[in-house]
Amino acid sequence: MGNLIKEILSNLSTRIMFIIFFTIIVITSFFIIFGYYNHVKLLEVKEYDKLKNLSISMAIAIDGDIHEKMMNENQSSNDINTVTDNKDYQNIHHLLNQTHINSKLDNAMYTLVYDKDNNVFNYGTRSDSFVDFRNEYKMFPQILVDSMKSGGIIPRYESENGEYLSAFHPIFNSKNEVVAILEADVEFGHFRINIFNQYKVQAIISLSVIFIIALILVSYTRKILKVEEKNKLNLSRQKHIIEIKNKDINDSINYAKQIQDALLPKIKNITESLPKTFIYYKPKDVVSGDFYWFKNIKDIKLLASVDCTGHGIPGAFMSIIGHSKLDSIISHHKITDPGEILNQLENSINSTFSAKKNSIDSKDGMDVGLCAFDLKNKQVKYAGAFRPLLIVNENEIKEIKGNRFPIGGGESYKKRAFTTHTIDINENDCFYMFSDGFSDQFGGPHDKKFMNKKFKQVLIDIQYLSSEEKVKALDKTLTEWQGDIKQVDDILIIGVCFN
């Protein structure tokens, strides 16, 4: 038996089956218990409604003036010792007794009179033959005082004679004054016992059925374990095949990374033309949808930050297409104006994806920031497709916004020619182009995005650091903000400084 249990727990199918089995036991038990307590609650509500209706109807039926007269004329508990000692008592008793019998109550109804001087309630008339006239009522006087004018219920309570429910209602005289309270009680304990016995039978039947199911499951479990042994062998073979295919896929991705890395310009070539340049490049996956691009045409240094649709392998394919298109534009058209280059890139990308031209849902495209540095004339020309250019100098930061549409990206954008901005280069200026990966990274104490405001402050804080130190500072800031949260997108930041 012990070995069988071990085999059952070690096998996923049988483990799930028995988890379901025990879950059924728990759920069945829950509904039996819930049903019992719910039944008790519903019956309690029903009995309270019955008591309230009785107390209201009897309080209305009793003549308040007569009751008040009876109490005023008989000030001592010894004045009335039997039902027939007082005619008013006898008449009220008769009325209560008839209702008592017709309603099949197990407990007496009775009237209570409030003694303001002593702050107590005393018994008046009862529906049974027992006379308790002017003896003190000690159960729940405060509840009666609080609701004397409106009536109400007394929450279920325990007494030496059992478990009870009670309801009461005021008795008014002709002056609309409360002269007494009519209270009706019911012993609730025997109801609970009857309900418990009903659900006990249900529980026994349910557990018997579950036990029979358990015997059947043991037989099926043995068959499942035999089948599982065969499946394990097949899974082992399939696992080996998957591992081989997975290795082939990873080798292909790594080779794609080598191709992508080969296309990226060498940092050394960029810094030879723009000495105080740094590039912070952190792909989300092995390959990236972000890339940087550089061309040196006579006295003009073209440098771009490009964020392609998606990341990983789809983004990498887009980056290769984008890199190839930019090279082709410069090679064939020999242009250096950033806006015109982006216009040509837009046309070329749309031509490449012409098969999707009629689909406004096509999102193939890229966000681009492109600068043309003219060191001879100390000017920078900039054009952007959904990406801005930030210029940091001292504690000030200036933002040059690009056009509010991307390269490609479908027909949902209203496009026009890209705008070229011309900016003079001042001493200590630092120019930044970047993708949205850094500012969109989740982290911090509340797992929120880093956001552009914080990103701009970081650029101000690192302005006097060397290029290498800037890269380290950005990486440290990102790592501390990110914590254990996964990187959400490719990250690319290009900084070109003149200090």
Side-chain angles (χ1 to χ4, degrees):
M1 187 67 179
N3 290 333
L4 177 62
I5 292 174
K6 288 182 180 179
E7 290 180 8
I8 288 172
L9 295 177
S10 64
N11 181 276
L12 180 61
S13 300
T14 55
R15 190 162 66 241
I16 291 174
M17 182 174 64
F18 273 86
I19 287 173
I20 294 172
F21 172 70
F22 284 111
T23 302
I24 291 172
I25 294 177
V26 172
I27 292 174
T28 302
S29 301
F30 169 78
F31 277 107
I32 290 174
I33 295 170
F34 174 79
Y36 165 71
Y37 282 104
N38 190 54
H39 196 157
V40 169
K41 185 64 180 177
L42 290 174
L43 185 59
E44 180 180 343
V45 172
K46 180 181 176 182
E47 289 300 315
Y48 267 127
D49 287 341
K50 179 180 176 183
L51 290 174
K52 284 191 289 186
N53 291 333
L54 273 174
S55 62
I56 291 171
S57 62
M58 293 312 301
I60 294 172
I62 292 173
D63 188 324
D65 291 330
I66 293 176
H67 193 283
E68 184 179 26
K69 172 176 166 291
M70 176 189 71
M71 298 304 296
N72 289 337
E73 290 177 351
N74 300 277
Q75 295 292 323
S76 172
S77 61
N78 296 321
D79 289 347
I80 301 176
N81 294 309
T82 66
V83 172
T84 58
D85 284 352
N86 181 277
K87 184 178 180 181
D88 292 333
Y89 186 101
Q90 188 176 7
N91 290 335
I92 296 172
H93 162 77
H94 179 73
L95 180 63
L96 292 175
N97 183 255
Q98 288 299 312
T99 304
H100 185 158
I101 294 170
N102 294 336
S103 300
K104 298 179 181 180
L105 291 178
D106 294 331
N107 299 89
M109 292 183 289
Y110 45 88
T111 62
L112 298 170
V113 177
Y114 182 53
D115 182 350
K116 293 183 180 179
D117 296 333
N118 298 311
N119 193 29
V120 297
F121 280 90
N122 295 319
Y123 284 99
T125 312
R126 295 175 62 93
S127 64
D128 57 6
S129 59
F130 180 74
V131 177
D132 206 14
F133 187 74
R134 283 209 173 272
N135 287 322
E136 184 180 346
Y137 170 86
K138 298 180 178 179
M139 295 296 290
F140 300 98
Q142 191 57 49
I143 294 178
L144 300 183
V145 170
D146 292 340
S147 302
M148 187 185 301
K149 293 183 179 180
S150 59
I153 64 171
I154 299 174
R156 182 162 24 120
Y157 59 94
E158 295 277 352
S159 75
E160 59 184 10
N161 297 320
E163 188 178 18
Y164 284 86
L165 307 178
S166 299
F168 58 94
H169 195 78
I171 299 171
F172 296 96
N173 62 15
S174 57
K175 298 176 183 179
N176 203 32
E177 296 171 337
V178 177
V179 296
I181 287 175
L182 187 286
E183 183 172 323
D185 305 330
V186 64
E187 203 282 309
F188 192 67
H190 71 279
F191 290 113
R192 182 192 290 275
I193 292 171
N194 291 338
I195 295 171
F196 178 80
N197 290 333
Q198 292 176 26
Y199 278 88
K200 183 170 67 175
V201 173
Q202 292 183 21
I204 292 172
I205 294 172
S206 299
L207 292 175
S208 299
V209 172
I210 291 172
F211 179 73
I212 294 171
I213 294 173
L215 294 178
I216 297 172
L217 285 177
V218 170
S219 175
Y220 276 103
T221 299
R222 294 182 185 277
K223 294 179 182 180
I224 290 173
L225 291 174
K226 290 180 181 179
V227 174
E228 187 66 22
E229 286 298 321
K230 294 180 181 179
N231 291 339
K232 283 183 179 179
L233 181 60
N234 291 332
L235 285 173
S236 178
R237 292 172 181 169
Q238 292 172 5
K239 180 182 176 184
H240 180 66
I241 294 171
I242 291 171
E243 286 175 347
I244 292 174
K245 290 184 177 180
N246 189 51
K247 183 178 181 300
D248 291 341
I249 292 171
N250 286 333
D251 289 344
S252 298
I253 293 174
N254 288 327
Y255 185 65
K257 175 177 173 54
Q258 294 178 20
I259 295 173
Q260 190 177 44
D261 289 345
L263 289 175
L264 294 174
K266 303 294 182 185
I267 301 296
K268 181 181 177 182
N269 294 340
I270 298 175
T271 54
E272 284 178 354
S273 298
L274 300 167
K276 293 187 178 181
T277 298
F278 76 88
I279 297 177
Y280 180 60
Y281 182 55
K282 191 172 184 178
K284 177 183 182 293
D285 302 305
V286 178
V287 289
S288 174
D290 289 3
F291 72 94
Y292 51 94
W293 176 85
F294 175 75
K295 284 295 178 182
N296 193 349
I297 302 177
K298 296 181 180 179
D299 295 327
I300 305 300
K301 324 298 181 184
L302 294 171
L303 183 59
S305 164
V306 186
D307 181 0
C308 298
T309 304
H311 47 74
I313 294 175
F317 277 121
M318 281 299 298
S319 72
I320 291 172
I321 293 171
H323 196 284
S324 173
K325 296 296 185 184
L326 285 170
D327 282 347
S328 176
I329 290 168
I330 300 305
S331 174
H332 288 85
H333 299 283
K334 306 294 182 183
I335 54 178
T336 60
D337 181 80
E340 184 56 32
I341 293 173
L342 294 188
N343 289 332
Q344 293 293 331
L345 181 61
E346 165 77 8
N347 295 334
S348 184
I349 290 294
N350 287 337
S351 176
T352 299
F353 293 101
S354 58
K356 295 184 179 181
K357 185 174 181 181
N358 294 324
S359 174
I360 62 173
D361 293 327
S362 173
K363 301 298 181 183
D364 301 311
M366 55 195 71
D367 299 341
V368 184
L370 175 60
C371 280
F373 292 94
D374 183 352
L375 302 186
K376 184 177 179 181
N377 295 310
K378 292 186 177 182
Q379 284 186 334
V380 176
K381 290 185 177 181
Y382 172 77
F386 252 148
R387 299 309 307 154
L389 173 69
L390 297 181
I391 306 168
V392 178
N393 194 319
E394 300 295 339
N395 291 321
E396 295 183 0
I397 189 164
K398 183 178 180 182
E399 181 174 352
I400 307 297
K401 295 184 180 294
N403 291 94
R404 295 295 297 167
F405 46 84
I407 300 294
E411 300 178 2
S412 58
Y413 298 96
K414 295 181 180 180
K415 296 188 176 182
R416 50 187 173 79
F418 285 95
T419 304
T420 297
H421 303 269
T422 302
I423 308 108
D424 292 329
I425 299 174
N426 299 310
E427 186 178 355
N428 296 323
D429 276 348
C430 282
F431 297 85
Y432 290 96
M433 294 178 288
F434 50 93
S435 66
D436 56 8
F438 199 104
S439 56
D440 283 351
Q441 178 59 48
F442 286 92
H446 304 295
D447 292 343
K448 293 185 176 181
K449 289 184 178 183
F450 194 82
M451 304 303 288
N452 284 327
K453 183 178 180 180
K454 287 192 186 73
F455 177 63
K456 290 176 181 179
Q457 186 58 49
V458 170
L459 297 183
I460 291 174
D461 293 341
I462 67 173
Q463 63 181 311
Y464 297 115
L465 300 179
S466 66
S467 294
E468 294 79 6
E469 290 171 336
K470 283 184 173 71
V471 172
K472 291 179 181 178
L474 287 168
D475 192 63
K476 180 182 178 183
T477 300
L478 179 69
T479 301
E480 291 176 351
W481 175 262
Q482 183 176 341
D484 296 330
I485 298 176
K486 290 183 179 181
Q487 186 174 333
V488 297
D489 199 0
D490 300 316
I491 295 173
L492 173 62
I493 301 171
I494 302 174
V496 182
C497 298
F498 296 90
N499 50 19

